[in-house]
């Protein structure tokens, strides 16, 4: 019965992506079907393929829960005046000549405190993108600065689920892991900052004829005693290391209360915003600036994660991971070892379409090589952080890329050339191993 229900679910998902013309969904569905047929050709039974697909799809439950909270959080912050307030004060105080740099800097700081790339993108990221749209600036460049910033925090925050996952998989202390990553992040961060300072000079935020501030002031009560309570709560909860789902849930409740009491929204309208998203200003200049969120906005991301997790199960059935392991065993130095780790993380990020799966698969594949070459586990953790954590962010169909792009309202391809931090982390690490590290040979 379980297999039949799961098969029906897959058929429904495949039909949905085809009818809705969801390109990335069609692509990952076609890959799954192709490898499932290959598994059948290799004498695997349909029952065994469905079983392993189902077992791996269950690994997506935690991520799917986060998606629900992220969608509702955005809707609640829009209705409470939290995001409009950030936009209003941001337009007043951010230097328009350094807007792209400040976008990266502010996002990276918030991401460090929150420890959640998706949480940061759905809050301060959306606010900064709203400022960009109001100031007639290239949204792909701003989106790249935001995505670079959110993965700074995702890689280097004690609250990050990704950093904690790597520490757990490699069996090391999370704070030892974070301390060990400092050296490899300083130069990429400085170079990225200089890059965005340069771009800021060429793409200046236009505030000369900006009427968005006044429109926001007319539509919202911007009482700072109340509208920033949802922000304060989520930062405090994060500093106390409270589970990110709990901190998001409390912030959603507080924002909903502020929306009803301060912004005079009806309770049923607020519930609608949490589910369907905030779309209140149709036909006004705010229509393209203050909008979005809602759990339903996460539907396509839901589909990608379920099918991609199932695909990893099929890969396991075909022993593809074992094949990759055997191919990367022969390395002579740290540069070659890290290069192979990069290649594995790209492959796992592409086939898994999920950062968590990419990390788990990469660690599983390269762990034996590091151990045999007697490379410390601390170095294994650092190499995974410098590859499998960041590189999925520039794979268009990977959730690490697709979901932030969906929340920010940008395409999942055009921003990629400007996402400097994502490239510089692995590039600078490889250069260090190749040309600077004294003990090169293994």
């Amino acid at each position: 019965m379980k297999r039949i229900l799961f098969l029906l679910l897959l058929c429904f998902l495949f039909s949905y992506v085809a009818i809705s013309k969801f390109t990335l969904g069609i692509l990952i569905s076609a890959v799954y079907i192709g490898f499932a047929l290959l598994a059948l050709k290799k004498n695997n039974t349909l029952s065994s393929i469905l079983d392993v697909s189902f077992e791996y799809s269950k690994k997506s439950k935690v991520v799917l829960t986060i998606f629900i909270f992220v969608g509702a959080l955005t809707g609640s912050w829009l209705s409470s005046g939290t995001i409009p307030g950030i936009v209003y004060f941001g337009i007043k105080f951010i230097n328009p000549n350094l807007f792209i740099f400040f976008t990266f800097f502010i996002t990276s700081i918030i991401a460090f405190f929150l420890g959640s790339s998706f949480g940061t993108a759905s809050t301060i990221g959306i606010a900064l993108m709203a400022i960009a749209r109001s100031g007639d600036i290239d949204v792909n460049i701003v989106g790249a600065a935001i995505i670079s910033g959110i993965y700074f925090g995702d890689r280097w925050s004690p609250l990050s689920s990704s950093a904690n996952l790597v520490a757990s998989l490699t069996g090391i202390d999370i704070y030892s892991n974070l301390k060990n990553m400092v050296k490899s992040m300083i130069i990429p961060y400085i170079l990225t900052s200089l890059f965005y300072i340069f771009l800021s000079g060429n793409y200046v935020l236009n505030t000369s004829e900006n009427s968005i501030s006044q429109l926001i002031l007319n539509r919202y009560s911007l009482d700072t005693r109340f509208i920033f309570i949802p922000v304060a709560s989520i930062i405090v909860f994060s500093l106390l290391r409270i589970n990110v789902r709990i901190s998001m849930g409390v912030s959603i409740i507080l924002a909903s209360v502020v929306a009803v009491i301060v912004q005079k929204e009806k309770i049923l309208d607020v519930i609608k915003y949490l589910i369907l998203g905030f779309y209140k200003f149709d036909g006004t200049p705010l229509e393209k600036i203050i909008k979005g969120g809602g759990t339903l906005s996460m539907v396509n991301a839901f589909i990608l994660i379920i099918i991609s997790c199932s695909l990893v199960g099929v890969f396991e059935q075909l022993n593809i991971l074992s094949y990759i392991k055997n191919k990367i065993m022969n390395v002579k130095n740290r540069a070659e070892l890290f290069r192979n780790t990069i290649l594995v993380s790209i492959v796992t990020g592409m086939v898994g379409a999920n950062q968590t799966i990419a990390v788990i698969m990469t660690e599983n594949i390269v762990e034996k090589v590091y151990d045999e070459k007697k490379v410390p586990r601390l170095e294994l953790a650092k190499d995974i952080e410098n590859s499998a954590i960041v590189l999925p962010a520039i794979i268009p169909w990977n959730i690490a890329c697709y979901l932030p792009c969906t929340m920010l309202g940008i395409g999942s391809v055009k921003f990629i050339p400007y996402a400097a931090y994502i490239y510089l982390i692995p590039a600078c690490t490889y250069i260090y191993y190749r040309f600077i590290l004294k003990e090169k040979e293994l």
Side-chain angles (χ1 to χ4, degrees):
M1 186 64 180
K2 178 182 69 177
R3 293 167 185 159
I4 294 173
L5 290 175
F6 185 68
L7 180 60
L8 290 173
L9 173 64
L10 287 178
C11 291
F12 172 76
L13 296 180
F14 296 155
S15 300
Y16 174 85
V17 298
I19 293 170
S20 62
K21 297 180 181 179
F22 175 35
T23 305
L24 295 181
I26 293 171
L27 177 64
I28 197 70
S29 297
V31 172
Y32 175 86
I33 292 170
F35 278 101
L37 292 174
L38 179 61
L40 286 172
K41 189 176 180 181
K42 296 285 186 180
N43 298 321
N44 293 284
T45 65
L46 179 60
S47 295
S48 65
I49 294 171
L50 289 174
D51 284 341
V52 75
S53 296
F54 176 70
E55 288 303 314
Y56 272 83
S57 71
K58 289 195 296 185
K59 297 179 184 290
S60 67
K61 285 193 297 184
V62 174
V63 182
L64 293 178
T65 305
I66 293 291
F67 289 174
I68 293 172
F69 280 104
V70 165
L73 185 73
T74 304
S76 67
W77 279 33
L78 285 164
S79 62
S80 67
T82 301
I83 289 177
I86 294 172
V87 174
Y88 176 81
F89 291 107
I91 290 173
K92 289 184 67 175
F93 296 114
I94 290 179
N95 185 339
N97 296 306
L98 288 172
F99 177 70
I100 295 172
F101 164 70
F102 275 116
T103 294
F104 170 64
F105 177 73
I106 292 168
T107 306
S108 65
I109 297 301
I110 297 297
F112 173 78
F113 282 114
L114 295 188
S116 168
S117 55
F118 296 159
T120 306
S122 65
T123 52
I124 190 67
I126 286 180
L128 290 165
M129 188 58 74
I131 296 173
R133 288 194 170 92
S134 72
D136 192 29
I137 196 169
D138 191 323
V139 293
N140 292 302
I141 296 177
V142 176
I146 292 170
I147 289 172
S148 288
I150 66 176
Y151 285 106
F152 168 85
D154 200 54
R155 175 186 173 276
W156 196 66
S157 168
L159 305 173
S160 167
S161 59
S162 299
N164 280 277
L165 173 63
V166 173
S168 175
L169 289 172
T170 55
I172 63 171
D173 175 67
I174 176 64
Y175 293 100
S176 298
N177 183 27
L178 296 175
K179 183 180 178 181
N180 193 43
M181 284 192 286
V182 172
K183 289 182 180 179
S184 63
M185 81 177 197
I186 294 175
I187 292 178
Y189 194 89
I190 292 172
L191 292 176
T192 301
S193 297
L194 292 174
F195 176 64
Y196 288 137
I197 289 171
F198 169 75
L199 286 180
S200 295
N202 291 280
Y203 297 89
V204 178
L205 185 72
N206 181 9
T207 58
S208 59
E209 299 180 2
N210 200 318
S211 62
I212 298 300
S213 296
Q214 189 58 46
L215 288 171
I216 290 173
L217 199 59
N218 293 339
R219 294 281 186 158
Y220 286 93
S221 171
L222 298 183
D223 190 331
T224 53
R225 294 174 300 172
F226 302 107
I227 62 172
F228 295 131
I229 287 176
V231 179
S233 72
I234 205 167
I235 291 176
V236 169
F237 274 50
S238 297
L239 291 174
L240 294 174
R241 302 185 192 178
I242 294 173
N243 184 286
V244 66
R245 285 170 288 178
I246 296 175
S247 63
M248 283 186 177
V250 171
S251 184
I252 289 167
I253 293 170
L254 291 172
S256 299
V257 171
V258 172
V260 172
I261 296 176
V262 178
Q263 306 303 343
K264 309 302 180 185
E265 292 280 1
K266 296 178 181 178
I267 294 176
L268 289 178
D269 285 340
V270 173
I271 294 173
K272 183 183 73 174
Y273 300 148
L274 299 183
I275 299 170
L276 302 179
F278 187 84
Y279 297 96
K280 185 179 179 180
F281 301 125
D282 292 351
T284 74
L286 290 178
E287 179 181 2
K288 296 181 179 180
I289 308 296
I290 309 298
K291 64 172 185 176
T295 56
L296 284 184
S297 67
M298 301 290 112
V299 168
N300 286 349
F302 269 58
I303 293 171
L304 280 178
I305 191 69
I306 292 172
I307 299 176
S308 64
C309 285
S310 302
L311 176 61
V312 175
V314 177
F315 270 53
E316 186 73 24
Q317 193 85 341
L318 288 167
N319 293 318
I320 291 177
L321 301 186
S322 298
Y323 174 79
I324 297 174
K325 282 183 187 179
N326 294 331
K327 288 292 183 182
I328 65 167
M329 289 298 292
N330 296 320
V331 292
K332 298 177 181 178
N333 53 55
R334 286 290 279 121
E336 288 184 6
L337 182 58
F338 182 64
R339 180 200 63 197
N340 285 355
T341 303
I342 290 175
L343 294 175
V344 169
S345 67
I346 292 172
V347 172
T348 56
M350 292 175 71
V351 301
N354 177 308
Q355 185 197 51
T356 301
I357 291 175
V359 170
I360 294 172
M361 290 174 67
T362 300
E363 196 277 337
N364 182 271
I365 291 170
V366 304
E367 176 185 34
K368 185 178 179 181
V369 187
Y370 277 74
D371 287 346
E372 287 194 358
K373 298 297 181 180
K374 297 182 180 179
V375 177
R377 282 301 181 100
L378 205 57
E379 291 297 297
L380 167 61
K382 183 179 71 174
D383 285 359
I384 292 175
E385 293 277 3
N386 292 340
S387 56
I389 291 293
V390 292
L391 290 173
I394 52 173
I395 298 172
W397 58 88
N398 193 293
I399 290 298
C401 174
Y402 178 78
L403 188 57
C405 288
T406 298
M407 289 186 285
L408 298 174
I410 61 174
S412 55
V413 174
K414 290 184 179 179
F415 84 93
I416 293 176
Y418 306 102
Y421 188 72
I422 308 300
Y423 298 111
L424 287 171
I425 281 287
C428 290
T429 303
Y430 178 78
I431 290 170
Y432 170 75
Y433 288 145
R434 180 73 176 82
F435 299 105
I436 301 173
L437 184 66
K438 293 180 180 178
E439 297 177 1
K440 296 179 181 179
E441 298 302 317
L442 293 175

